[in-house]
């Protein structure tokens, strides 16, 4: 992990995050490390094989927090930053599990929500989440078989509705 401050790379400085267990050097699809950032802040998440979700944050001056455990029992996770807010989505490690969403603030997950229903039959909003954001609109997607299911939030993840613009 490299650090930047005032437009300069800080070569030789190591940021010890303890995330090696989440990296795949041979298959990028297997990486369980996610980064979300803007000009003022960066959040780095790593999901270990044992389901422990770890996080660290850095500010624009390259001051970084210690790596902290955010939650246990995750099987999949993603992160996005938009409008100064970092949102984390995860699903438990079991197959066809419900998607959870929370705000990451001060090294803790806050205001946890389940944005849409996941049924025991495997139908609904279940499984690995994927996040995207732009201009105050956050999209959260998952799959049901070959279908892509997408919900959106226009208030930083407080409320969710079916994505606009799909027919």
């Amino acid at each position: 992990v490299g650090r930047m401050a005032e437009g300069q790379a800080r070569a030789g400085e190591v940021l010890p995050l303890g995330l090696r267990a989440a990296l795949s050097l041979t298959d990028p699809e297997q990486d369980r490390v996610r980064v979300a950032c803007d000009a003022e802040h960066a959040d780095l998440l790593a999901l270990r094989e044992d389901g422990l979700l770890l996080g660290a944050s850095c500010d624009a001056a390259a001051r970084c927090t210690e790596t902290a455990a955010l939650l246990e029992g995750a099987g999949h996770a993603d992160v996005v930053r938009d409008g100064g807010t970092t949102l984390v989505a995860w699903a438990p490690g079991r197959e066809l599990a419900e998607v959870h969403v929370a705000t990451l603030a001060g090294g803790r997950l806050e205001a946890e929500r389940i944005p849409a229903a996941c049924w025991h039959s495997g139908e609904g909003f279940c499984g690995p989440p994927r996040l995207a954001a732009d201009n105050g609109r956050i999209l959260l997607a998952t799959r049901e078989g070959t279908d892509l299911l997408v919900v959106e939030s226009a208030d930083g993840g407080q409320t969710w509705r079916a994505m606009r613009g799909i027919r």
Side-chain angles (χ1 to χ4, degrees):
V1 175
R3 290 201 270 185
M4 298 289 292
E6 300 167 4
Q8 299 293 319
R10 293 196 170 182
E13 287 188 41
V14 176
L15 179 57
L17 297 172
L19 305 178
R20 181 182 296 271
L23 293 171
S24 171
L25 300 177
T26 57
D27 184 0
E29 289 292 318
Q30 298 301 313
D31 278 347
R32 292 180 311 279
V33 175
R34 302 284 184 263
V35 177
C37 58
D38 57 25
E40 301 300 319
H41 185 89
D43 288 300
L44 186 136
L45 295 183
L47 179 59
R48 293 191 336 197
E49 287 183 8
D50 63 2
L52 184 65
L53 184 63
L54 302 169
S57 299
C58 299
D59 65 17
R63 291 182 300 256
C64 300
T65 65
E66 295 289 325
T67 303
L70 300 175
L71 64 95
E72 297 178 1
H76 309 279
D78 203 5
V79 63
V80 72
R81 185 160 175 85
D82 189 59
T85 299
T86 300
L87 206 63
V88 178
W90 73 94
R94 63 186 184 276
E95 187 93 13
L96 304 175
E98 67 280 353
V99 174
H100 298 253
V101 179
T103 303
L104 179 61
R108 294 186 347 222
L109 294 175
E110 301 175 348
E112 180 181 335
R113 292 176 170 72
I114 297 176
C118 169
W119 289 276
H120 291 291
S121 65
E123 295 178 341
F125 208 75
C126 310
R130 291 289 179 245
L131 286 164
D134 194 22
N135 296 324
R137 184 178 181 200
I138 299 172
L139 302 179
L140 173 59
T142 190
R143 297 180 71 146
E144 180 182 312
T146 58
D147 294 336
L148 181 67
L149 304 178
V150 184
V151 293
E152 72 174 349
S153 176
D155 58 8
Q158 304 266 336
T159 59
W160 296 90
R161 66 179 182 199
M163 186 180 112
R164 295 172 289 144
I166 293 183
R167 296 184 187 266

